[in-house]
Amino acid sequence: MNVLFLGAPGSGKGTQSKKIETEFNIPQISTGDLLRAETASGSDMGEELKKIMSSGKFVSDEVVLELVSKKITSDECKNGFILDGFPRNLSQASSLDTLLTNLNVSLEYVFLIDVPTDLIIKRCVGRVTCNKCGKIENEYFSDIKEGDTCEDAGVYVKRADDNEETVTNRLKVYGEQTEPIINFYEEKGILHRIIGGEDGPQRLTDEIISIIKS
Ligand code: AMP
């Protein structure tokens, strides 16, 4: 089963892909996570990526495509994958098509997590992530704050690009470059629009699971 999550920054696609990963035992491939791991390595490339990501711009198509191809063709993905944060523009969508055609596999589901813009900023600015298990919480919607300890003894940290200025930029780039992909997958007949709101992630997860199981 090959799945793709689309959505603005803070729409909750990371949260949903992790839940679907657990439910169906298929690995999530988050280009944002892969790039953040590279920035943490302290390499020259990592330093360059840090600058681009903290401005809210996209890193080059070549860099992300290489990361994604390496993962998709690895043994870990032999039963499928969940793409989160890739593709993010039409050129990446077309490269993904070519890669999948060459591998003789296809995408079965594209889920677009559609959340009102006024909620997005709060979702991003309040987001904290456990640095051990990757669990995502929000300072606005729970008692958990940056620096608190998670159940697994990890610490909740904030992403460097989750400040209001960068989030505004990321939303602008999303509108200009990523939204056109919605049509691309709608025309293929595999797009499912999931409407998010203030009522937490579980209703969306249930809807996604029921679409996959049907
Ligand atoms: P995310 O964790 O998905 O919100 O991604 C964080 C940042 O990583 C983005 O704002 C981009 O700078 C970069 N990034 C992640 N995925 C991609 C991609 N597919 N293409 C270009 N840049 C990306």
Side-chain angles (χ1 to χ4, degrees), residues 7-10 13-14 30-36 49-61 63-65 67-68 84-89 92 124 127 159 161-162 166 169-170 173 177-178:
K13 55 187 183 332
S30 155
T31 43
D33 286 349
L34 293 172
L35 291 165
R36 276 185 289 280
L49 291 175
K50 215 185 257 182
K51 269 190 235 153
I52 300 171
M53 290 166 76
S54 61
S55 73
K57 291 187 186 138
F58 285 172
V59 309
S60 76
D61 291 349
V63 168
V64 279
L65 190 62
L67 289 172
V68 171
D84 162 15
F86 178 91
R88 254 176 153 104
N89 58 30
Q92 291 180 9
C124 288
R127 171 162 56 191
R159 281 171 43 171
D161 57 352
D162 273 345
T166 309
N169 235 341
R170 284 158 65 201
V173 176
Q177 301 204 40
T178 312

Coordinates of all heavy atoms in Angstrom, one line a residue, residues 7-10 13-14 30-36 49-61 63-65 67-68 84-89 92 124 127 159 161-162 166 169-170 173 177-178, ligand 1:
G7 N -0.9 18.6 2.4 CA -1.6 19.6 3.3 C -0.6 20.7 3.7 O 0.6 20.5 3.6
A8 N -1.1 21.8 4.1 CA -0.3 23.0 4.5 C 0.5 22.6 5.7 O 0.2 21.7 6.4 CB -1.2 24.1 4.8
P9 N 1.6 23.4 6.0 CA 2.3 23.2 7.2 C 1.4 23.3 8.4 O 0.5 24.2 8.4 CB 3.3 24.4 7.2 CG 3.2 25.1 5.9 CD 2.1 24.6 5.2
G10 N 1.5 22.4 9.3 CA 0.6 22.5 10.5 C -0.8 21.9 10.3 O -1.6 21.9 11.2
K13 N -0.5 16.6 8.8 CA -0.2 15.4 8.0 C 0.8 14.5 8.6 O 0.8 13.3 8.5 CB 0.2 15.8 6.5 CG 1.3 16.8 6.4 CD 1.4 17.2 5.0 CE 2.5 18.2 4.7 NZ 3.0 19.1 5.8
G14 N 1.7 15.1 9.4 CA 2.7 14.3 10.1 C 2.1 13.4 11.2 O 2.4 12.3 11.3
S30 N 9.1 11.1 5.8 CA 8.9 12.5 6.0 C 10.2 13.2 5.5 O 11.2 13.1 6.1 CB 8.6 12.9 7.4 OG 9.0 14.2 7.7
T31 N 10.0 13.9 4.4 CA 11.2 14.6 3.9 C 11.7 15.7 4.9 O 12.9 15.9 5.0 CB 11.0 15.3 2.5 OG1 9.7 15.9 2.5 CG2 11.1 14.2 1.4
G32 N 10.8 16.3 5.6 CA 11.1 17.3 6.6 C 12.0 16.7 7.7 O 13.0 17.2 8.1
D33 N 11.6 15.5 8.2 CA 12.4 14.7 9.2 C 13.7 14.3 8.7 O 14.8 14.5 9.4 CB 11.6 13.5 9.7 CG 10.4 13.8 10.6 OD1 10.3 15.0 11.0 OD2 9.6 12.9 10.8
L34 N 13.8 13.9 7.4 CA 15.1 13.4 6.8 C 16.0 14.6 6.7 O 17.2 14.5 7.0 CB 14.8 12.8 5.4 CG 14.1 11.5 5.4 CD1 13.7 11.0 4.0 CD2 14.9 10.4 6.1
L35 N 15.4 15.8 6.3 CA 16.3 17.0 6.2 C 16.7 17.5 7.5 O 17.9 17.9 7.7 CB 15.5 18.1 5.4 CG 15.2 17.8 3.9 CD1 14.1 18.7 3.4 CD2 16.5 17.9 3.1
R36 N 15.8 17.4 8.5 CA 16.2 17.9 9.9 C 17.3 17.0 10.4 O 18.3 17.5 11.1 CB 15.0 17.9 10.8 CG 14.2 19.2 10.7 CD 13.1 19.3 11.7 NE 12.0 18.4 11.4 CZ 11.1 18.6 10.5 NH1 11.1 19.7 9.9 NH2 10.1 17.7 10.3
L49 N 21.3 23.5 4.4 CA 19.9 23.2 4.5 C 19.2 24.0 5.6 O 18.1 24.4 5.5 CB 19.7 21.7 4.8 CG 20.1 20.7 3.7 CD1 20.0 19.3 4.1 CD2 19.2 20.9 2.5
K50 N 20.0 24.1 6.8 CA 19.4 24.8 7.9 C 19.0 26.3 7.5 O 18.0 26.7 7.9 CB 20.5 24.9 9.0 CG 20.0 24.8 10.4 CD 21.1 25.0 11.4 CE 21.5 23.7 12.0 NZ 22.6 23.9 13.0
K51 N 19.9 26.9 6.7 CA 19.6 28.3 6.3 C 18.3 28.3 5.4 O 17.5 29.2 5.7 CB 20.8 28.8 5.4 CG 21.8 29.5 6.2 CD 22.8 30.2 5.3 CE 24.2 29.7 5.6 NZ 25.2 29.8 4.5
I52 N 18.2 27.4 4.5 CA 17.0 27.4 3.6 C 15.8 27.1 4.4 O 14.8 27.8 4.3 CB 17.2 26.3 2.5 CG1 18.4 26.6 1.7 CG2 16.0 26.3 1.6 CD1 18.8 25.5 0.7
M53 N 15.8 26.1 5.3 CA 14.6 25.7 6.0 C 14.2 26.8 7.0 O 13.0 27.0 7.2 CB 14.9 24.4 6.7 CG 15.0 23.2 5.7 SD 15.7 21.7 6.4 CE 14.3 21.1 7.3
S54 N 15.2 27.5 7.6 CA 14.7 28.5 8.6 C 14.1 29.7 7.9 O 13.5 30.5 8.6 CB 15.9 28.8 9.6 OG 16.9 29.4 8.8
S55 N 14.3 29.8 6.6 CA 13.6 30.9 5.9 C 12.2 30.5 5.4 O 11.5 31.4 5.0 CB 14.5 31.4 4.7 OG 14.4 30.4 3.7
G56 N 11.9 29.2 5.5 CA 10.6 28.8 5.0 C 10.6 28.4 3.5 O 9.6 28.1 3.0
K57 N 11.8 28.5 2.9 CA 11.8 28.2 1.4 C 12.0 26.7 1.3 O 12.3 26.0 2.2 CB 13.0 28.9 0.8 CG 12.8 30.4 0.7 CD 13.9 31.0 -0.1 CE 13.8 32.5 -0.1 NZ 15.1 33.2 0.1
F58 N 11.9 26.2 0.0 CA 12.1 24.8 -0.3 C 13.5 24.5 -0.5 O 14.2 25.3 -1.1 CB 11.3 24.4 -1.5 CG 9.8 24.2 -1.3 CD1 9.0 24.0 -2.4 CD2 9.3 24.3 -0.1 CE1 7.6 23.9 -2.2 CE2 7.9 24.2 0.1 CZ 7.1 24.0 -1.0
V59 N 14.0 23.3 -0.2 CA 15.4 22.9 -0.6 C 15.2 22.4 -2.0 O 14.1 22.2 -2.5 CB 16.0 21.9 0.4 CG1 15.9 22.3 1.8 CG2 15.3 20.5 0.3
S60 N 16.4 22.1 -2.7 CA 16.3 21.8 -4.1 C 15.6 20.5 -4.3 O 15.7 19.6 -3.5 CB 17.7 21.8 -4.7 OG 18.4 20.6 -4.3
D61 N 15.0 20.4 -5.5 CA 14.3 19.1 -5.9 C 15.3 18.0 -5.9 O 14.9 16.9 -5.5 CB 13.7 19.3 -7.3 CG 12.5 20.3 -7.3 OD1 12.0 20.7 -6.2 OD2 12.1 20.6 -8.4
V63 N 18.0 17.4 -4.1 CA 18.3 16.9 -2.8 C 17.2 16.0 -2.2 O 17.4 14.9 -1.8 CB 18.6 18.1 -1.8 CG1 18.7 17.6 -0.3 CG2 19.9 18.7 -2.2
V64 N 15.9 16.5 -2.3 CA 14.8 15.7 -1.7 C 14.5 14.5 -2.5 O 14.3 13.4 -2.0 CB 13.5 16.5 -1.5 CG1 13.5 17.3 -0.3 CG2 13.1 17.3 -2.7
L65 N 14.7 14.6 -3.8 CA 14.4 13.4 -4.7 C 15.4 12.3 -4.4 O 15.0 11.1 -4.3 CB 14.5 13.8 -6.2 CG 14.0 12.7 -7.1 CD1 12.5 12.4 -6.9 CD2 14.2 13.2 -8.6
L67 N 16.9 11.8 -1.5 CA 16.5 11.2 -0.2 C 15.3 10.2 -0.3 O 15.3 9.1 0.3 CB 16.1 12.3 0.8 CG 17.2 13.2 1.3 CD1 16.6 14.4 2.1 CD2 18.2 12.5 2.2
V68 N 14.3 10.7 -1.1 CA 13.1 9.9 -1.2 C 13.4 8.6 -2.0 O 13.0 7.5 -1.6 CB 12.0 10.7 -1.9 CG1 10.8 9.8 -2.3 CG2 11.5 11.8 -1.0
D84 N 5.2 11.8 3.3 CA 4.7 13.0 4.1 C 5.6 14.2 3.8 O 6.8 14.2 4.2 CB 4.7 12.6 5.6 CG 4.7 13.8 6.6 OD1 4.4 14.9 6.1 OD2 5.0 13.6 7.7
G85 N 5.1 15.2 3.1 CA 5.9 16.3 2.8 C 6.6 16.3 1.4 O 7.4 17.1 1.1
F86 N 6.3 15.2 0.7 CA 6.9 15.1 -0.7 C 5.8 14.4 -1.5 O 5.3 13.4 -1.1 CB 8.2 14.3 -0.7 CG 8.7 14.0 -2.0 CD1 9.7 14.9 -2.6 CD2 8.3 13.0 -2.8 CE1 10.2 14.7 -3.8 CE2 8.8 12.8 -4.1 CZ 9.8 13.6 -4.6
P87 N 5.5 14.8 -2.7 CA 6.1 16.0 -3.4 C 5.5 17.3 -2.9 O 4.4 17.3 -2.3 CB 5.7 15.7 -4.9 CG 4.4 14.9 -4.8 CD 4.6 14.1 -3.5
R88 N 6.2 18.4 -3.2 CA 5.7 19.7 -2.8 C 5.6 20.7 -3.9 O 5.3 21.8 -3.7 CB 6.7 20.2 -1.8 CG 6.2 20.2 -0.3 CD 7.4 20.7 0.5 NE 6.9 21.2 1.8 CZ 7.0 20.6 2.9 NH1 7.3 19.4 3.0 NH2 6.7 21.3 4.0
N89 N 5.9 20.3 -5.1 CA 5.7 21.1 -6.3 C 5.4 20.1 -7.5 O 5.6 18.9 -7.4 CB 6.8 22.1 -6.6 CG 8.1 21.4 -6.8 OD1 8.2 20.3 -7.3 ND2 9.2 22.1 -6.4
Q92 N 8.4 17.9 -8.6 CA 8.6 16.7 -7.7 C 7.5 15.7 -8.0 O 7.8 14.5 -7.9 CB 8.6 17.2 -6.2 CG 9.8 18.0 -5.8 CD 9.7 18.4 -4.4 OE1 8.9 18.0 -3.6 NE2 10.6 19.3 -4.0
C124 N 1.2 25.5 14.2 CA 2.6 25.5 14.0 C 3.3 26.1 15.2 O 4.3 25.6 15.7 CB 3.0 26.2 12.8 SG 2.6 25.4 11.3
R127 N 3.4 24.0 18.3 CA 3.8 22.6 18.1 C 5.1 22.3 18.9 O 6.1 23.0 18.8 CB 4.0 22.3 16.6 CG 4.6 21.0 16.3 CD 4.4 20.5 14.9 NE 4.9 21.5 13.9 CZ 4.6 21.4 12.6 NH1 3.9 20.4 12.2 NH2 5.1 22.2 11.8
R159 N 10.5 23.2 16.8 CA 11.2 23.3 15.5 C 11.6 24.7 15.3 O 10.9 25.7 15.6 CB 10.3 22.8 14.3 CG 10.3 21.3 14.3 CD 9.2 20.9 13.3 NE 9.2 21.6 12.0 CZ 8.5 21.3 11.0 NH1 7.8 20.2 11.0 NH2 8.6 22.0 9.8
D161 N 11.8 26.3 12.6 CA 10.9 27.0 11.6 C 9.5 27.2 12.0 O 8.7 27.6 11.2 CB 11.0 26.3 10.2 CG 10.6 24.9 10.2 OD1 10.3 24.4 11.4 OD2 10.5 24.3 9.2
D162 N 9.2 26.9 13.3 CA 7.8 27.0 13.7 C 7.6 28.4 14.5 O 6.9 28.4 15.5 CB 7.4 25.9 14.7 CG 6.8 24.7 13.8 OD1 6.5 24.9 12.7 OD2 6.7 23.6 14.4
T166 N 8.3 32.7 9.9 CA 8.6 31.6 9.0 C 7.4 30.8 8.5 O 7.2 30.4 7.4 CB 9.7 30.6 9.6 OG1 10.8 31.4 10.1 CG2 10.2 29.6 8.6
N169 N 5.6 32.6 5.8 CA 6.4 32.4 4.6 C 6.1 31.0 4.0 O 5.9 30.8 2.8 CB 7.9 32.5 4.9 CG 8.5 33.4 4.0 OD1 8.0 33.8 2.9 ND2 9.7 33.9 4.4
R170 N 6.1 30.0 4.9 CA 5.8 28.6 4.5 C 4.4 28.5 3.9 O 4.2 27.7 2.9 CB 6.0 27.6 5.6 CG 7.5 27.4 6.0 CD 7.7 26.9 7.4 NE 7.2 25.6 7.6 CZ 6.9 25.1 8.8 NH1 7.1 25.9 9.9 NH2 6.4 23.9 9.0
V173 N 4.5 29.9 0.3 CA 5.2 29.0 -0.6 C 4.2 27.8 -0.9 O 4.1 27.3 -2.0 CB 6.5 28.5 0.0 CG1 7.2 27.5 -0.9 CG2 7.5 29.7 0.2
Q177 N 3.3 26.9 -4.6 CA 4.0 25.8 -5.3 C 3.3 24.4 -5.0 O 3.4 23.5 -5.9 CB 5.4 25.7 -4.8 CG 6.2 27.0 -5.1 CD 7.7 26.7 -5.2 OE1 8.1 25.7 -5.7 NE2 8.4 27.7 -4.7
T178 N 2.7 24.3 -3.8 CA 2.2 22.9 -3.5 C 0.7 22.8 -3.9 O 0.3 21.7 -4.4 CB 2.4 22.6 -2.0 OG1 3.7 22.9 -1.6 CG2 2.1 21.1 -1.7
Ligands
AMP1 P1 8.1 19.8 7.0 O1 8.7 19.1 8.2 O2 7.4 18.9 6.0 O3 7.2 21.0 7.4 O4 9.3 20.5 6.2 C1 10.1 21.4 6.8 C2 11.0 22.2 5.7 O5 11.8 21.2 5.0 C3 10.2 22.9 4.6 O6 9.7 24.1 5.0 C4 11.3 22.9 3.5 O7 12.2 23.9 3.8 C5 11.9 21.6 3.7 N1 11.3 20.5 2.9 C6 10.6 19.4 3.3 N2 10.1 18.7 2.3 C7 10.5 19.3 1.2 C8 10.3 19.0 -0.2 N3 9.6 18.0 -0.6 N4 10.8 19.9 -1.1 C9 11.5 21.0 -0.7 N5 11.8 21.3 0.6 C10 11.3 20.5 1.5

